[in-house]
Amino acid sequence: MTIDDAPREALRGNPRELLRWVATGAAVSRADLSRLSGLSPSTVSQRVEALINQGLLEEAGAGQSRGGRRPRQLAVPTGGAVVGAIDLGAHHARIGTLDLSGRVVQGRTLPVRIEDGPETVLGTLLAEVTALASGGATAASGGAPGASLASGGAAAGALRGIGIGIPGPVQHSTGRIVSPSRMPGWNGFDVAAFCADRVDVPVIVDNDANLMALGAHRTAHAEMDHAVYIKAGTGIGSGVISSGQLHRGAQGSAGDISHCRVVADPAPLCSCGNAGCLEAVASGAALVTALREQGVPVSDLTGVLRLIDDGDRHATALARQAGRAIGEILAVVVNFFNPQVVAIGGRLADCEPLLASMRATLYERCLPLATQTLLIERVATSQDIGITGAAHLVIDHVVSAHP
């Protein structure tokens, strides 16, 4: 084992890894888990029993004998226990319930107005998620968003936790939002404390780009140790996977590429107050602003993408410039971090001129060794990638809380 392998090897056989192997079908018995982890059968059996006692695994009958006693098959429960997830955006939120393997059970997209403030927005979304888990009436259909949702109905037993993605900087250790540029009234809001007064299950809060990264990694690249996932839509952010784990840094701001400087003065003013930031020149909001300044009547990112699809030269040129700007920042990241994959998600991921410029800039600016085996691709398009990441965040918490 090399030094680089050590952090990843240290994770093998921990409860979360055992649960993941069963959830993905890589293992169906204790013997399979012992073989994959390298742990002794007795150690695996102890950890499996703990997961069964937590309701995270179950025995699903006897498997095929290979000459001895028929092994007891293991499975992730598909009924009953679920985790809730909220992927919040500026205008819409995707909410859902997922089983303990991370598969979506139910999902809904709801309109929101981020400017309505955290109490109104989060109160309504918590009520909706709890209702999904219990099968009861939603806040939108007559429930009271501000009322306590601490217990009652099927949700009290079925709901194991809720993960929430916020489109702004989050101090993960406290669940507090810190200086969000496009969320008026949210600065300093303690999401974790607000939710603790309304639900009696763990609530884990993180940045939405981190949750996209976690969901995409677990879904498509779980075998890779190092990856960078970019979320490019109205704003721009990224999530970093290091040694197979979500890397947040000291305060939770790792991966925030949106305010890296890419343009010298004179440059567009960014929402953070500086000029020339990546978000100010390459985000969906920046493209809308730039087109309006050129006299092109466009109201939102949907209109920009429609113009690009129609071959509008102004919109296409701006998309290519945005791709080059994103590629310049990512080239620094790739040279410094040396990931195995760079994947872009969000609404701008479907913009081919932007993606082509980003890819070309990466190959031009990066060291040959850094791009020799580098995968540059889109995040698998799914409206549920954010809530999938939120669910895995909760599952990891539940497992690690009961070693």
Side-chain angles (χ1 to χ4, degrees):
M1 181 178 66
T2 68
I3 292 176
D4 286 341
D5 291 331
R8 184 72 164 184
E9 285 295 319
L11 297 172
R12 295 184 71 83
N14 67 23
R16 183 178 66 78
E17 194 80 347
L18 300 183
L19 180 63
R20 185 176 69 83
W21 280 327
V22 175
T24 59
V28 295
S29 68
R30 291 168 174 80
D32 290 339
L33 292 174
S34 181
R35 172 178 53 81
L36 288 169
S37 66
L39 297 174
S40 68
S42 60
T43 300
V44 167
S45 184
Q46 290 174 356
R47 295 183 180 181
V48 166
E49 290 302 320
L51 290 170
I52 290 175
N53 291 337
Q54 296 169 51
L56 300 173
L57 284 180
E58 65 181 6
E59 292 182 333
Q64 189 173 15
S65 173
R66 297 181 180 177
R69 188 171 59 183
R70 297 173 67 190
R72 287 173 292 174
Q73 288 189 307
L74 300 170
V76 174
T78 56
V82 294
V83 294
I86 298 171
D87 185 18
L88 178 62
H91 305 293
H92 296 87
R94 183 69 177 171
I95 67 169
T97 56
L98 299 90
D99 66 23
L100 297 178
S101 70
R103 287 186 291 261
V104 177
V105 177
Q106 298 181 82
R108 294 181 60 195
T109 299
L110 302 173
V112 299
R113 284 168 39 91
I114 205 77
E115 62 269 25
D116 287 343
E119 291 92 348
T120 298
V121 172
L122 292 174
T124 299
L125 295 177
L126 282 173
E128 293 285 348
V129 167
T130 327
L132 280 184
S134 66
T138 67
S141 60
S148 174
L149 306 171
S151 61
L159 189 61
R160 303 299 299 270
I162 299 173
I164 302 177
I166 300 291
V170 175
Q171 189 176 42
H172 176 71
S173 60
T174 65
R176 190 180 293 273
I177 300 173
V178 182
S179 300
S181 58
R182 299 181 184 276
M183 302 175 69
W186 290 69
N187 182 40
F189 188 77
D190 192 335
V191 178
F194 176 83
C195 296
D197 291 337
R198 285 160 173 75
V199 293
D200 62 354
V201 294
V203 176
I204 316 297
V205 187
D206 212 329
N207 172 262
D208 61 343
N210 279 348
L211 296 190
M212 188 201 75
L214 187 60
H217 186 254
R218 296 283 175 86
T219 302
H221 304 120
E223 76 287 355
M224 294 186 178
D225 290 339
H226 311 296
V228 176
Y229 297 90
I230 302 94
K231 185 172 185 179
T234 301
I236 293 181
S238 75
V240 178
I241 302 292
S242 178
S243 296
Q245 303 295 299
L246 186 60
H247 176 70
R248 297 185 178 90
Q251 294 294 324
S253 66
D256 190 349
I257 62 174
S258 57
H259 301 294
C260 293
R261 189 178 179 86
V262 291
V263 179
D265 290 330
L269 186 66
C270 182
S271 58
C272 71
N274 288 318
C277 297
L278 182 63
E279 182 173 297
V281 300
S283 67
L287 296 180
V288 171
T289 299
L291 282 170
R292 286 176 177 171
E293 291 175 349
Q294 294 181 16
V296 179
V298 63
S299 59
D300 53 23
L301 182 53
T302 298
V304 174
L305 295 174
R306 187 178 301 116
L307 287 172
I308 294 170
D309 288 340
D310 291 341
D312 180 89
R313 62 191 180 95
H314 299 289
T316 301
L318 287 172
R320 290 189 176 124
Q321 292 172 17
R324 282 193 292 272
I326 295 170
E328 288 175 5
I329 297 300
L330 288 180
V332 177
V333 173
V334 169
N335 281 331
F336 178 80
F337 180 54
N338 191 201
Q340 295 156 293
V341 59
V342 169
I344 182 169
R347 297 187 66 195
L348 286 176
D350 293 327
C351 179
E352 190 58 41
L354 182 147
L355 192 63
S357 291
M358 184 193 83
R359 182 181 285 114
T361 303
L362 274 172
Y363 283 122
E364 177 186 345
R365 297 293 183 91
C366 291
L367 295 171
L369 183 59
T371 57
Q372 192 173 62
T373 59
L374 178 68
L375 294 176
I376 305 172
E377 59 187 33
R378 292 184 178 92
V379 171
T381 54
S382 169
Q383 63 181 341
D384 290 330
I385 200 72
I387 62 172
T388 298
H392 280 288
L393 197 68
V394 174
I395 295 166
D396 289 355
H397 173 81
V398 171
V399 172
S400 63
H402 299 84

